Amino acid sequence: MRILVVDDDKGIREFLKKNLQMESFVVDTAGNGEDGSYMGRVHDYDAILLDSIMAKKNGLEVCRDIRSSGKTTPIMILSVESEVSDKIAMLNAGADDYMTKPFSYKELSSRIRALLRRPKPIVNPSLRVADLTLDTMSQKVRRGTRDIYLTRKEFALIEYLMRQSGNVVSRAALMEHVWNEELDPFSNTIEAHILNLRKKIDATSKRKLIQTVPGRGYRIEAAGHNIIN
């Protein structure tokens, strides 16, 4: 899952990025409203954390920009402004939730997951495809009775594939949701991670869940295919 953090306070940006990455989110950041507006409109994020008072464009303007572009990405406002009128203005502009600074990160994390569940009911804490299970809360993956250790990026990759189970996921979609904008589109990073996932998830099983669809991308589905001896 990919999140955009827009805040002109570098300390807050780094704090949020570090903690969100520990929960296996992919995080992009913007240090002003103009950059945040552009990134929020151009990229496909699963949630946006938006400061209200920033240079170049304030949070209200950024929120309006994103909604005017047709994006329905959940937006969480983080602001020092606690007046009811300020909250109403943000919510009327299209924000989904509002927290005042300083805030509890635990509460913020819970609210983010609540926002992710709201527009996309498929965002559940537990996922299953055939005998492969993934728990987003405990960060555990299991194939049958075998526990599988995954790196954070591998976990984010298999989670996204499982949420799209049965559908072909393009390389571009993986770049959007699992990697941040710093990924070189010409590198073989995605292919290398898919290879590692296959070694860990499919290597010892007759049913191969992770499939390559030539010229289109990747797919994971319960049907899979068996090893041909």
Side-chain angles (χ1 to χ4, degrees):
M1 307 296 278
R2 189 179 181 189
I3 291 180
L4 172 64
V5 175
V6 186
D7 200 303
D8 62 356
D9 187 316
K10 183 178 180 181
I12 292 178
R13 289 199 309 273
E14 293 181 346
F15 169 79
L16 290 173
K17 182 174 183 177
K18 177 182 177 181
N19 282 275
L20 288 167
Q21 286 178 331
M22 289 179 66
E23 295 190 56
S24 295
F25 288 108
V26 177
V27 184
D28 289 337
T29 63
N32 62 68
E34 190 173 88
D35 290 345
S37 173
Y38 174 79
M39 294 170 70
R41 288 180 285 114
V42 171
H43 298 296
D44 187 11
Y45 291 103
D46 296 290
I48 297 173
L49 305 185
L50 178 63
D51 187 18
S52 62
I53 304 175
M54 295 179 291
K56 297 186 178 180
K57 280 193 174 185
N58 60 38
L60 188 65
E61 293 173 308
V62 174
C63 195
R64 286 173 175 164
D65 287 348
I66 293 171
R67 292 297 181 242
S68 295
S69 72
K71 293 282 188 178
T72 59
T73 311
I75 298 176
M76 164 77 74
I77 302 298
L78 302 176
S79 176
V80 295
E81 298 175 317
S82 58
E83 294 295 326
V84 173
S85 58
D86 295 318
K87 296 179 181 179
I88 291 174
M90 282 295 189
L91 294 172
N92 286 340
D96 296 273
D97 201 354
Y98 192 110
M99 287 189 70
T100 56
K101 299 176 181 179
F103 53 84
S104 160
Y105 179 76
K106 288 185 178 180
E107 181 182 355
L108 174 63
S109 176
S110 295
R111 290 197 183 197
I112 290 172
R113 294 192 180 279
L115 286 179
L116 292 174
R117 288 194 298 270
R118 190 182 303 169
K120 299 178 181 179
I122 62 170
V123 179
N124 297 315
S126 297
L127 301 172
R128 185 182 185 92
V129 176
D131 60 345
L132 177 67
T133 58
L134 177 148
D135 190 310
T136 61
M137 300 301 291
S138 64
Q139 300 281 292
K140 291 183 178 179
V141 177
R142 174 174 289 191
R143 182 84 192 263
T145 59
R146 178 172 59 93
D147 290 327
I148 301 172
Y149 170 77
L150 300 179
T151 65
R152 289 178 185 170
K153 191 61 68 179
E154 290 168 350
F155 185 93
L157 176 55
I158 195 63
E159 178 186 358
Y160 186 71
L161 288 174
M162 291 178 74
R163 292 196 184 282
Q164 304 296 323
S165 177
N167 299 320
V168 177
V169 179
S170 68
R171 196 174 187 277
L174 293 177
M175 289 179 64
E176 279 288 314
H177 289 272
V178 182
W179 274 266
N180 59 30
E181 61 178 5
E182 296 174 359
L183 176 67
D184 180 355
F186 299 105
S187 75
N188 67 342
T189 298
I190 293 176
E191 290 76 10
H193 278 79
I194 290 289
L195 178 61
N196 288 336
L197 280 178
R198 284 185 169 133
K199 289 179 179 178
K200 294 181 178 183
I201 291 173
D202 282 342
T204 61
S205 301
K206 289 185 176 181
R207 178 180 291 179
K208 304 304 182 183
L209 299 178
I210 303 173
Q211 304 172 18
T212 298
V213 183
R216 297 173 61 193
Y218 303 94
R219 174 173 58 206
I220 185 170
E221 60 181 347
H225 63 276
N226 295 328
I227 295 175
I228 298 177
N229 296 317

